[in-house]
Amino acid sequence: MHDLTLAKIAQGLAKGEFSSRELTQHFLERIEKYDSRFNSFITVTGERALTRADAADTQRAAGQAGILSGVPLAYKDIFCTEDIRTSCGSKMLDNFKAPYNATVVEKLELAGTVNLGKTNMDEFAMGSSNETSFYGPVRNPWNTDLVPGGSSGGSAAAVAAGLAPAALGTDTGGSIRQPAAFCGITGLKPTYGRVSRYGMIAYASSLDQGGPMARSAEDCALLLNAMAGHDPRDSTSVSRAVPDYTQSLDAPLKGLKIGLPREYFGDGLDEGVERAVREAIAVYESLGASVIDVSLPHTQHAVPAYYVIAPAEASSNLSRYDGVRFGHRCDDPQDLMDLYKRSRAEAFGEEVKRRILIGTHTLSEGFFDAYYKKAQQVRRLIRQDFLDAFEKVDVLMGPAAPTTAFALGNKADPVQMYLQDIYTIAINLAGIPGISVPAGFHEGSPVGLQILGPHFGEAHLLNVAHQYQQATDWHTRQPDLP
Amino acid sequence: MQWETVIGLEVHVQLATQSKIFSGASTAYGAEPNTQACAVDLGLPGVLPVLNENAVAMAVRFGLAIDAEIPEISVFDRKNYFYPDLPKGYQTSQMGQPIVGAGEVEITLEDSSTHTVRIHHAHLEEDAGKSVHENFHSQTGIDLNRAGTPLLEIVSEPDMRSPKEASAYVRALHTLVTYLGISDGNMNEGSMRCDVNVSVRPKGQESFGTRAEVKNVNSFRFIERAIEVEVERQIDLLEDGGTVVQETRLFDPDRDETRSMRTKEEANDYRYFPCPDLLPLMLDQAYVDHQRTLLPELPAEKRQRFKEVLGLSSYDAAVLTATRAMAEYFEQVHTRCSDAKLAANWVQGELSGRLNKENLDITQSPVSAEQLGDLLLRLKDDTINGKAAKQVFAELWSRTFETADEVIEAKGLKQVTDTAAIEAVVDQVIADNPIQVTQYKDAEPDKRGKMIGFFVGQAMKASKGTANPQQVNQLLKQKLDALL
Amino acid sequence: MAIEHADVLRAAHLARLGIDDADATRYVGDLSRILEMVDALQGVDTEGVAPLAHPLDATQPLRADEAIEPDRREAFQACAPSVSQGYYLVPRVVE
């Protein structure tokens, strides 16, 4: 059952081929059996999951099941789940049981899904390798010497290893797409504002967006149907009708205009990755698409702009972790200053501290204009690059990351790590949707093809990804787990 | 040397919304600690702010009332600092693009002179919680019920030159916000809090001196005193060859001094930046126009109308419009009795006197405007005389009767206007007081007018106060003069 | 723009992060490399370009003014490190 797509699982449940309890039990057993190798879960909610599965089975027997009823899922541990630890991968929240559900969790629960547990992640979603988690690094199911990517590395590894049929991730600078690419699964970052951020612990509020990580584009469409939509509790969520994303999956691609940003195929791109991506594009040509060379001239400025904006927002967003109302508090604080400084120093990891310091520094008096304001101006130029490109083409394609998964401990230098996100970060700055789909292997590691569309172009992106997955079988590959 | 005082104020007005500025928690005062602090107010992980439409509307109406521009776009910023009563580690405020632009407020001083104070801008922000230092051994308790209460911070230009102008300005703002109904104006509960920027300069000098900010001056009484002592301190300092340091000071009314609050070792760096959880607030012309239609009659307009339409004096108009409650009370009394001057006299005289004596607000008056209006109607139609009216008022005040008519009936206060009955009383008084009659006759003609008062008093007494005093007076004069 | 030891200590203090001198020295290295990368932005011509704070040109929605949140103090304080009589407790703050 663990090699089935969500769509197939939904069918199987509908036909009575298996019950939600059997299915849930199966995934829980696999987590029990295999996850010590990958460390993809922080918290497994076995008993709750079985109770939910039984409820879904009862509902189905009563003829009241929806399409996602009884389908097991996992949540990145950044989504608040009521009465379940929500750690955000940090010691700071190791003792935090959220008193509420995130809006997307609420929606998916309403749709009848079963929560298997909370997946590992880079601390506060800051990282590209899942090595910054307080709960230890996650390992890539294809090769446990390698990282799964980050920050949604736990979700990606869990789905790739067949420990969950699908999972939720969040993407601030590539945190869904890059781990999806490294682990050989499909991951969608929706348009900023498409999915509610309420109850999704903030890293960088103007960039964060939750999205599905699954075995196929069709599965992502099924999940996005349940997740998307305006939330009155999130001012930045968009009030705009949500289409049925599964409806347009089968539209033919004849006449599709694909733009290849030349900046995405330049220096630093691993040859093996480029080869796989170009082969994928050739598949599209065979499906009737045409390919046009385009330019996104401000690409090289995306990483620098991001590393001003994201840490600035983060430095402010993370001020609430002060040891007063929840979270870690140091022992025997001498005074208020000691309480603040020690609680935060003890409970935040290195990368989080680095970003808080950078953000605090760049927002300081005398630096604001040179850094923050400048970065926001550049942000507008970056968005304009995409708006211009989508005047000429329907979608853009390129690699999701410059390399395949790298070895644990391989990127000790923060800047080198940041440059990993060169192809994904601009998308968050512009707020457009992007999807990574499995497009082959290089030296045994999966390669991700990234497809980008204009704002609110998810339906078309999913259609374009789905058609590729009808023509290829890369997305069906799973690592052998002895 | 002659010194000139320069004063600017930042007044924080708590807006009278039902719920917080960014959450659906109640703003009611006085609840058990932390029972009105929801996840958003507490800054729990993952929660997000959504702006209260009423806080926006109230700010806009204030802006319209001071003739300010309402910019089409305004932006919320984060002011970052750590404090236990500030749950998120930042205060959501407005720095660069506030909701209300430049405007002006007219103030009236005791000598009836008027001045204009320019408003630099007004912006929306959230209030912080409260720290409680008692009851917790070597610890401080934090109550976040107030956290997230909407505040309108009104920032004036440094246009005031005396403590009296400053307090008149705060009174004018108080009158304005209570008229607009955007704040309860309750200073005791912190609904209006003032930070006062004070500096002095040699008279005639154009550039400003270094200012000190005196924080949290929270009663009309203390505003003037706080400024006075701060001005004295600065002048003493300068005359002794010292310099004023730009700093924040706290007024201590018990010790009658201001003292430095500089306990922190470094200057604050609030790292303002636009709040990424809130989008730019856009208010189009249609919205602003609609808010304009919701404005009540403002104090200045009301004053004008009281003078021009109701024929009241400037003084009466000013007193009766000082608060919206006062104006409303007066207008109801006037509607009932249709005599503006009479209503004005009674509201300012008998009623206000009694209220002051018992330290009551006009909204707490035991005598309602309807009751007083009906009473004045009886005075006006001569059913009772002035003396009886005061007696009726006293009865209504003690709530022994429901209406003026009930009192008049029960106490037999109806005025006697029957000439024959009054004549009988008058004749009796003349017959009973021969000595005084003789004195009257012997007196110089111009003294007689005064002497007649004695006979009137006797006649009123004899009629138990019910005789119409004018009639009594007239008849006595006739009859005594006939004896000459 | 280079970052110096004092800048790191200042930022750490503003951010209430307890770091010692050795930490600060390490951060000077890390943060300098990051800022060096970021400094590339200075070369971008942004004359007349308005800053972009949000990726969409959306405006702020408004909420009806209704007090609808129930009292959930018990649930919220269940995860608090120190409470008494409904108050959150911190070491005595001197004002």
Side-chain angles (χ1 to χ4, degrees), chain A residues 206-412:
Chain A
S206 80
L207 302 161
D208 295 341
Q209 187 64 200
M213 304 176 79
R215 314 204 67 80
S216 70
E218 184 182 15
D219 290 2
C220 288
L222 280 169
L223 287 170
L224 188 61
N225 275 351
M227 293 168 70
H230 176 63
D231 179 3
R233 292 196 288 185
D234 174 4
S235 299
T236 63
S237 85
V238 174
S239 181
R240 186 180 167 119
V242 179
D244 179 347
Y245 293 104
T246 61
Q247 281 299 304
S248 45
L249 290 173
D250 292 327
L253 297 188
K254 196 159 171 51
L256 178 77
K257 280 191 266 181
I258 299 171
L260 298 189
R262 68 182 77 112
E263 294 80 5
Y264 284 32
F265 292 88
D267 284 349
L269 176 58
D270 194 291
E271 261 179 58
V273 172
E274 177 165 2
R275 195 177 319 118
V277 167
R278 293 215 184 263
E279 277 168 19
I281 289 160
V283 171
Y284 276 105
E285 286 180 296
S286 73
L287 295 173
S290 59
V291 172
I292 297 161
D293 177 54
V294 296
S295 173
L296 302 169
H298 295 92
T299 297
Q300 58 167 322
H301 303 302
V303 173
Y306 177 91
Y307 278 97
V308 172
I309 293 167
E313 293 183 7
S315 70
S316 176
N317 284 336
L318 269 62
S319 291
R320 67 187 61 200
Y321 307 103
D322 59 3
V324 176
R325 297 164 318 286
F326 53 84
H328 176 75
R329 173 184 283 206
C330 66
D331 289 333
D332 305 318
Q334 298 303 299
D335 53 27
L336 184 66
M337 190 59 83
D338 185 43
L339 165 70
Y340 284 152
K341 287 193 168 176
R342 260 196 311 131
S343 300
R344 289 165 63 78
E346 288 170 4
F348 286 142
E350 277 297 278
E351 184 59 26
V352 171
K353 287 180 191 171
R354 231 179 338 248
R355 295 197 195 186
I356 289 175
L357 289 173
I358 279 284
T360 304
H361 178 71
T362 55
L363 285 176
S364 294
E365 223 174 307
F367 296 109
F368 181 87
D369 280 4
Y371 289 121
Y372 192 77
K373 190 174 164 215
K374 187 78 178 179
Q376 289 209 325
Q377 289 174 309
V378 171
R379 182 176 190 178
R380 186 175 292 278
L381 296 174
I382 288 167
R383 184 179 71 162
Q384 195 57 46
D385 282 355
F386 286 106
L387 297 181
D388 292 346
F390 289 123
E391 292 283 310
K392 296 177 211 126
V393 299
D394 302 312
V395 292
L396 294 167
M397 288 188 191
T403 65
T404 54
F406 46 87
L408 265 87
N410 177 264
K411 294 200 173 11

Side-chain angles (χ1 to χ4, degrees), chain C residues 40-51:
Chain C
L41 292 177
Q42 303 310 320
V44 185
D45 180 7
T46 52
E47 183 73 32
V49 179

